[in-house]
């Protein structure tokens, strides 16, 4: 006959008290649902959730710093066509030599002489971005060893110096030198991305990156307007008529230096930095080597799947910015030569597009859930296609504005969303390198895009240039749509 065995049970008094406490809690659910008294502390778990999703204070510091930088940077946009016309009429040295050098080819293809400034403007834009392409990875790698703040201050100082040189650039050569110094100091943008990555996580990184987009939008709203106001009240027949806007830009850059010195705290602690500077600098070679750049060779110890995803993202980003930057750069010359827009008229276009981008990035892009980031980037890539085709076909201001509005909607999504996607790859100490490579690909695209588009504008005109560029943008849109991350 089966006899149940006698089980000996022992009890721990402390354990019983814990179980009793749990039981009491479970039997008082209705009481727990009552509002907590004001003096009671918020549960630690709730605090942790809030901390995870809240945008870090440093992201707002970066936002304000970028805004100061971009206000100064974008002031020159409505001034550039007038500046180049000034040098065409008054500089018989470098500008005159270059104009004479291309005269035979210009006659052969039938390009109007007034479009020569478009060609030189494209060359300057490409030079600026090529120098940014060289400096961004080196600055990013050095910041992985020395920390973000010292390199941010170094870049800001170089930018301020470039505006000081511009203020006294009576000759075209000095203006070229000013752009050279500014371009090589422009590694601050990739550093801003790295700082935001340092202080954010997967839950709040999209919001933080959107602040960068908002800074760009606000910069493109106010900067061109400030430049246009200076242009309106300047006597362009006089020498150094651009002294006032250049000095104002330098004051903004100096304010940025002071702001970063006081408000920016180091975001890459010493224990998380690269161990040896030689390793960081050797990676910079991979950033400058075009083949290594597209292969993301500087980023080590990633899975094969992540490497393939990064490479595909890099190619897509390069193709997009190569076409986009060329058409974006020449639009000021399109407004100046085709529509006869003054600096104020151009500033109104930038104001319209900038306000729209800021509203979208502040209300939509910044709140995008992680699952919609890629979809939004693809949407923006498809939207840019009709935008540029409409701009190319435009014969009136309303049609031009329609194309530029579509352009603004697209721009609000693409770069921010693609940067957010890329920032997820790599360990903590590799984020600066990953984003440095990504930004370098963008800078390389911007180095090639303006000169190619300017040559096309100069040789075959704006209509064919914009229609062809718009159709070619279908390529990166399809690539990103079918990319598996």
């Amino acid at each position: 006959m089966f006899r149940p065995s006698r089980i000996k049970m022992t009890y721990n008094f402390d354990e019983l008290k814990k179980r009793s406490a749990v039981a009491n809690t479970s039997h008082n659910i209705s009481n727990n649902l009552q509002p907590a008294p004001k003096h009671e502390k918020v549960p630690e778990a709730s605090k942790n959730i809030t901390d995870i999703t809240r945008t870090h204070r440093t992201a707002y510091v970066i936002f304000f710093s970028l805004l100061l930088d971009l206000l100064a940077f974008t002031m020159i946009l409505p001034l550039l066509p007038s500046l180049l016309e000034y040098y065409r009429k008054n500089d018989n040295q470098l500008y005159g030599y270059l104009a004479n050098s291309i005269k035979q080819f210009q006659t052969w293809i039938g390009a109007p002489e007034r479009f020569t400034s478009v060609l030189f403007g494209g060359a300057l834009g490409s030079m600026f971005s090529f120098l940014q392409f060289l400096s961004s990875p080196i600055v990013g790698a050095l910041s992985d060893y020395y920390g973000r703040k010292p390199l941010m201050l170094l870049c800001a100082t170089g930018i301020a110096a470039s505006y000081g040189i511009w203020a006294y650039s009576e000759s075209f050569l000095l203006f070229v030198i000013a752009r050279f110094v500014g371009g090589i100091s422009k590694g601050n943008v990739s550093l801003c991305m790295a700082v935001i990555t340092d202080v954010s996580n997967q839950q709040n990184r999209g919001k933080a990156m959107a602040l960068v987009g908002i800074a760009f939008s606000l910069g493109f709203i106010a900067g061109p307007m400030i430049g246009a106001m200076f242009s309106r009240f300047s006597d362009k027949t006089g020498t150094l008529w651009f002294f006032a806007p250049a000095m104002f830009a330098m004051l903004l850059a100096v304010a940025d230096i002071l702001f970063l010195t006081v408000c920016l705290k180091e975001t890459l602690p010493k224990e998380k930095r690269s161990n040896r500077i030689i390793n960081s600098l050797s990676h910079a070679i991979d950033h400058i080597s075009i083949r290594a750049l597209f292969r993301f060779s500087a980023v080590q110890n990633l899975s094969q799947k992540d490497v393939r995803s990064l490479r595909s993202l890099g190619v897509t980003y390069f193709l997009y910015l190569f076409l986009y930057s060329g058409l974006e750069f020449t639009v000021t010359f399109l407004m100046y030569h085709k529509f006869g827009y003054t600096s104020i008229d151009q500033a109104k276009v930038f104001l319209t597009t900038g306000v729209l981008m800021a509203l979208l990035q502040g209300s939509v892009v910044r709140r995008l859930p992680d699952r919609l980031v890629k979809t939004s980037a693809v949407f923006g890539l498809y939207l840019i296609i009709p935008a540029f085709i409409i701009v190319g076909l435009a014969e009136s201001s309303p049609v031009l504005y329609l194309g530029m509005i579509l352009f603004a909607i697209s721009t609000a999504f693409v770069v921010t969303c693609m940067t957010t996607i890329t920032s997820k790859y790599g360990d903590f100490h590799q984020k600066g390198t990953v984003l440095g490579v990504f930004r370098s690909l963008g800078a390389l695209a911007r180095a090639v895009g303006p000169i190619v588009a300017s040559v096309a504008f100069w040789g075959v005109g704006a209509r064919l240039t914009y229609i062809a560029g718009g159709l070619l943008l279908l390529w990166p849109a399809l690539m990103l749509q079918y990319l598996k991350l």
Side-chain angles (χ1 to χ4, degrees), residues 20-32:
S20 176
V22 172
N24 289 337
T25 303
S26 63
H27 286 303
N28 287 281
I29 293 176
S30 59
N31 292 334
N32 291 334

Side-chain angles (χ1 to χ4, degrees), residues 53-67:
T53 56
R54 182 189 296 137
T55 303
H56 197 279
R57 171 187 172 276
T58 303
Y60 294 101
V61 174
I62 291 299
F63 163 78
F64 190 72
S65 171
L66 260 181
L67 181 59

Side-chain angles (χ1 to χ4, degrees), residues 18 52 85 127 145 187 196 198 203 213 233 248 273 340 452:
K18 290 180 184 177
I52 288 171
E85 281 296 303
M127 180 198 74
Y145 181 81
I196 284 179
D198 290 342
Q203 283 73 24
F233 296 107
F248 186 77
R273 296 179 192 175
V452 172

